[in-house]
Amino acid sequence: MRKEFFTIFIMFLFLTSPLLIISAKPSSQYSSPSYLLLNNWVNQSIWVVTGIPIPNPQLNGFPLYNTSIRNLYVGKYGIVNLTVNFDVLTTSAYLNLNNTINLISTNGNISILTPPNTPYILILFNTNSSTSIYVKTNTTILHVNSSLVRIYTIPVIYISTNASYIIQNNTEKIIVYKGKWFVELSVGAQPNFNISGLSKLNEMEIGKWLNSSKLPTGLPTNLLKEYYLSLLLIKDDQNPYLGTFAASPSPIYLYSWVRDSAFSAMALQLAGHYNSALKFWLWLSNAGQLQSGVWYTRYNFYDGQPDTTFGIPELDGIGLYEMGVYQYYNLTGNVTFLKQILPTIYKSVKYQIEMINESRYHLLPQDLSVWEDREAYHFWTEAINDLGLKSVAEIYRALNFSNYTTILYYEKELNQSIIGNFWNDNYFASALGVSVVFEGGKSETILSPEPPSVDSATLLPINLGYLPPTSNYSVSNFEIVNKTLLTTGGLARFPNDMYHYSQSLYDATAPEPPWIITTLFEALYLEELGKYNEALNLMNWVYDHSQHGLLPEAIDPKYAYPLPTTSPLTWSSAMFDIVALNYKPVTNSQSTTLTGYYVLGIMIAIVAIISIIIILRRR
């Protein structure tokens, strides 16, 4: 019965999905994404440049592309040399709950979809005036008949359409007039021609996938839609062949960061989508490493090769891997998976223990950590690795390995070292640097906080179990972070944060933009305290500052518009779904109130029945 009701509810969400666009309330400025990814869940992915402009694109380091489909990725073949360019002026763009990208232009509407488990890409037009589409490649285009061409790429691609076309060198120009038109790309397969059938198949498969998702408890309809849309965004941002996740469809973030990807995989597995998560964990278990037990910071989204030039070292990936694979096991009970990845776990633990032993502070080495802003000892990195060691101990215990006690010994040593070194009167310092103190003719090397030391990144490890949320450390740290960094309703990363303003990116009007993930760090902490109404308010704030439900990295601190250069951010969607699944609004007091209403209702019914009996007897 519940399953049938849920299926009907998903259909309701499909039918009302335009309300997702209307009810989200971002500033009209930058309310649509400039880039999106779509994939067929098997081996194909496309990168859609929506045509929504990025401010100062050259200053921000962006290529100048018009509205187009690019980076046609086909599994073992890699990126195929083919682009689809649209001669339109896009005014709005969004992702629907049927996993279709809609582009609203001055010429009408364009819908782009990649039906799951098929080799087809559909482009549907509902135009109010004539326009042209240009399919460009570097190889031969052969006219087959009036509605079909064959392109000799590897693999071969067929393009069918009900519009007219002409071939000019290595370009097919398709001309559409006022009305409804289609273009079907068949990648490595014969053309389908059944456009309505493919559209229905897309609706059915997307609905089935969403229907299989774990249902959050008690979310209002707008946030439930956001939950599902965020799941689709994460799914679309995964390489369906390798398992890597793009940090964002934005070209400057079109890489697979270990950190962001780990949270994306965890969000999917918490929602019940184990196969997608498994694909990532297996890929990461075999990915090239910087050194034994240590991953590179990020990898190429399309071929999985490490980026050997960026953000080295970052050591939080070790603990996140350990946490993620243990969570996967905990959810699935898949012992075969644990045994398969044991060599990778062993390398990670060996590195962690060696570093703790060699360090005079009993910490992991300095790294760039979560914000990649400075090399230091970071609370985030150390606490995440502490959680990773706890996870490994549980894995070893599950496999009946007696040496899990050794892991717990080093976890305890690291835990105590973190508190001893990072606690700074009433909060956890974000980063520690090495200083030399001279006293009495002697020198001593010590660790001391580096400014800015108050940081929202200190919240999440506590949420995930580094310390009890009600401990004095946790409560005091939260109060300082919230008091220092709350801005425009959300939470900034740290004081005087210049990223997006005058450092690297330039799309904010002031320093300290509130970030979506950090605001959700706060929401998750409030949930751990049982303050669900306050958490719900933050989730609504996040939703209200989206791009038609797609969550950006950060919000302008003055004008509250989504910062467009890095939107949508996959980690933002993952973090929203993690918080949504942790939302449990019914408290004991609410249960008591509901019970009272039930009792009152029964009493009223009894009184009514007695009254009817008395009236009937009098007759």
Side-chain angles (χ1 to χ4, degrees):
M1 183 67 183
R2 179 186 179 277
K3 191 78 171 177
E4 291 173 358
F5 168 78
F6 190 37
T7 302
I8 293 169
F9 184 69
I10 290 293
M11 292 172 65
F12 167 75
L13 289 182
F14 274 172
L15 292 172
T16 60
S17 61
L19 296 176
L20 183 66
I21 301 158
I22 296 167
S23 56
K25 296 180 255 183
S27 161
S28 58
Q29 190 176 22
Y30 308 125
S31 61
S32 293
S34 299
Y35 309 95
L36 288 169
L37 288 163
L38 273 182
N39 73 71
N40 72 347
W41 301 1
V42 181
N43 68 336
Q44 288 178 200
S45 172
I46 57 173
W47 183 49
V48 178
V49 180
T50 67
I52 300 295
I54 288 286
N56 303 313
Q58 291 173 306
L59 177 64
N60 283 302
F62 284 80
L64 299 176
Y65 292 140
N66 61 348
T67 306
S68 52
I69 296 174
R70 317 181 82 86
N71 290 18
L72 170 55
Y73 169 82
V74 187
K76 63 182 180 180
Y77 301 103
I79 295 177
V80 178
N81 193 310
L82 183 140
T83 60
V84 180
N85 296 282
F86 303 92
D87 188 13
V88 298
L89 179 62
T90 308
T91 57
S92 181
Y94 52 90
L95 180 69
N96 270 331
L97 277 172
N98 61 1
N99 209 36
T100 298
I101 293 175
N102 281 1
L103 307 178
I104 312 301
S105 77
T106 52
N107 298 91
N109 300 344
I110 302 172
S111 298
I112 304 169
L113 56 153
T114 56
N117 309 308
T118 76
Y120 304 109
I121 300 166
L122 292 187
I123 308 169
L124 308 178
F125 300 87
N126 188 0
T127 52
N128 53 38
S129 59
S130 61
T131 186
S132 298
I133 304 96
Y134 299 87
V135 182
K136 297 184 178 182
T137 183
N138 65 343
T139 189
T140 303
I141 301 178
L142 178 67
H143 166 87
V144 177
N145 58 45
S146 61
S147 62
L148 184 66
V149 303
R150 175 173 176 159
I151 302 178
Y152 286 87
T153 49
I154 301 176
V156 169
I157 296 174
Y158 288 95
I159 297 182
S160 58
T161 181
N162 63 342
S164 58
Y165 72 85
I166 57 175
I167 298 173
Q168 301 170 327
N169 298 321
N170 294 334
T171 300
E172 178 188 15
K173 179 182 179 182
I174 302 172
I175 304 103
V176 300
Y177 301 97
K178 183 178 179 180
K180 295 185 178 181
W181 310 90
F182 73 84
V183 174
E184 175 197 276
L185 281 73
S186 309
V187 183
Q190 292 295 313
N192 183 280
F193 296 117
N194 185 356
I195 304 306
S196 63
L198 283 175
S199 298
K200 289 176 183 176
L201 175 67
N202 182 73
E203 297 270 351
M204 183 181 72
E205 290 298 321
I206 300 300
K208 188 188 301 181
W209 189 81
L210 290 176
N211 190 42
S212 69
S213 308
K214 184 178 178 182
L215 181 64
T217 304
L219 283 184
T221 302
N222 65 324
L223 297 185
L224 190 58
K225 288 181 180 179
E226 179 59 52
Y227 167 75
Y228 288 123
L229 192 69
S230 290
L231 281 177
L232 285 175
L233 188 281
I234 300 167
K235 182 74 168 172
D236 282 327
D237 287 0
Q238 184 174 30
N239 181 316
Y241 186 71
L242 289 182
T244 54
F245 290 94
S248 169
S250 170
I252 60 172
Y253 279 7
L254 197 53
Y255 296 86
S256 186
W257 267 262
V258 173
R259 173 174 48 253
D260 301 45
S261 298
F263 283 105
S264 297
M266 284 190 269
L268 286 176
Q269 64 198 27
L270 285 169
H273 297 296
Y274 306 122
N275 289 339
S276 298
L278 177 63
K279 187 168 285 189
F280 171 72
W281 297 125
L282 290 177
W283 170 80
L284 188 59
S285 297
N286 295 285
Q289 294 192 327
L290 176 65
Q291 65 185 88
S292 183
V294 180
W295 282 274
Y296 286 88
T297 299
R298 71 182 191 183
Y299 294 76
N300 186 292
F301 171 64
Y302 292 106
D303 64 18
Q305 293 302 305
D307 183 345
T308 59
T309 65
F310 183 86
I312 296 172
E314 291 183 28
L315 303 176
D316 57 336
I318 306 168
L320 288 170
Y321 170 79
E322 294 163 336
M323 293 165 62
V325 296
Y326 173 63
Q327 185 190 75
Y328 177 86
Y329 162 74
N330 217 23
L331 292 166
T332 65
N334 190 338
V335 176
T336 302
F337 164 71
L338 285 187
K339 292 179 178 178
Q340 186 176 354
I341 63 170
L342 268 179
T344 307
I345 293 175
Y346 173 76
K347 288 191 293 185
S348 295
V349 173
K350 184 173 182 291
Y351 173 82
Q352 289 167 312
I353 291 176
E354 286 178 354
M355 293 302 103
I356 293 169
N357 273 334
E358 292 176 9
S359 169
R360 64 180 297 176
Y361 311 109
H362 303 295
L363 297 170
L364 270 75
Q366 300 182 66
D367 75 335
L368 294 175
S369 199
V370 58
W371 306 136
E372 300 170 346
D373 58 333
R374 53 187 162 171
E375 190 164 351
Y377 292 98
H378 289 270
F379 176 83
W380 168 279
T381 297
E382 306 296 338
I384 290 292
N385 275 278
D386 177 82
L387 289 166
L389 287 172
K390 286 182 180 179
S391 297
V392 173
E394 292 304 316
I395 289 171
Y396 282 12
R397 197 198 303 260
L399 295 173
N400 295 318
F401 292 173
S402 59
N403 60 340
Y404 76 87
T405 55
T406 303
I407 308 299
L408 288 176
Y409 170 83
Y410 285 103
E411 182 276 323
K412 183 177 180 181
E413 187 172 25
L414 177 60
N415 190 300
Q416 292 174 344
S417 298
I418 295 169
I419 293 175
N421 286 291
F422 284 90
W423 186 249
N424 190 31
D425 294 332
N426 54 3
Y427 68 93
F428 285 109
S430 171
L432 304 177
V434 178
S435 303
V436 179
V437 177
F438 295 92
E439 187 175 344
K442 295 182 179 180
S443 63
E444 182 184 4
T445 303
I446 63 168
L447 297 180
S448 56
E450 289 190 352
S453 59
V454 176
D455 196 309
S456 56
T458 58
L459 296 180
L460 189 60
I462 293 172
N463 302 341
L464 298 176
Y466 169 68
L467 287 172
T470 54
S471 73
N472 292 336
Y473 291 115
S474 303
V475 172
S476 180
N477 181 72
F478 173 77
E479 290 174 352
I480 295 296
V481 168
N482 191 57
K483 178 181 177 181
T484 306
L485 299 176
L486 189 64
T487 175
T488 324
L491 208 62
R493 296 192 300 171
F494 48 80
N496 203 34
D497 181 6
M498 307 303 285
Y499 190 60
H500 280 287
Y501 176 59
S502 63
Q503 179 183 320
S504 302
L505 295 173
Y506 308 92
D507 53 344
T509 60
E512 284 188 51
W515 279 42
I516 296 296
I517 57 169
T518 53
T519 303
L520 291 168
F521 294 172
E522 179 178 0
L524 190 61
Y525 178 77
L526 291 168
E527 287 178 342
E528 293 300 310
L529 293 180
K531 298 182 178 181
Y532 292 106
N533 287 338
E534 293 178 45
L536 186 67
N537 289 338
L538 291 175
M539 282 191 277
N540 274 308
W541 181 88
V542 164
Y543 170 74
D544 288 341
H545 291 83
S546 66
Q547 292 182 314
H548 300 316
L550 299 174
L551 303 180
E553 180 172 61
I555 307 301
D556 186 80
K558 280 188 178 180
Y559 301 106
Y561 59 78
L563 297 181
T565 54
T566 53
S567 182
L569 189 78
T570 316
W571 188 3
S572 294
S573 292
M575 205 66 228
F576 183 90
D577 285 343
I578 290 168
V579 172
L581 288 165
N582 198 56
Y583 180 70
K584 301 175 181 64
V586 179
T587 63
N588 290 333
S589 60
Q590 288 172 314
S591 298
T592 303
T593 302
L594 288 173
T595 302
Y597 283 131
Y598 292 145
V599 172
L600 180 62
I602 292 170
M603 291 175 64
I604 291 172
I606 291 171
V607 170
I609 291 169
I610 292 172
S611 299
I612 292 170
I613 292 171
I614 292 171
I615 291 169
L616 290 173
R617 284 182 175 178
R618 285 177 179 176
R619 288 181 179 179

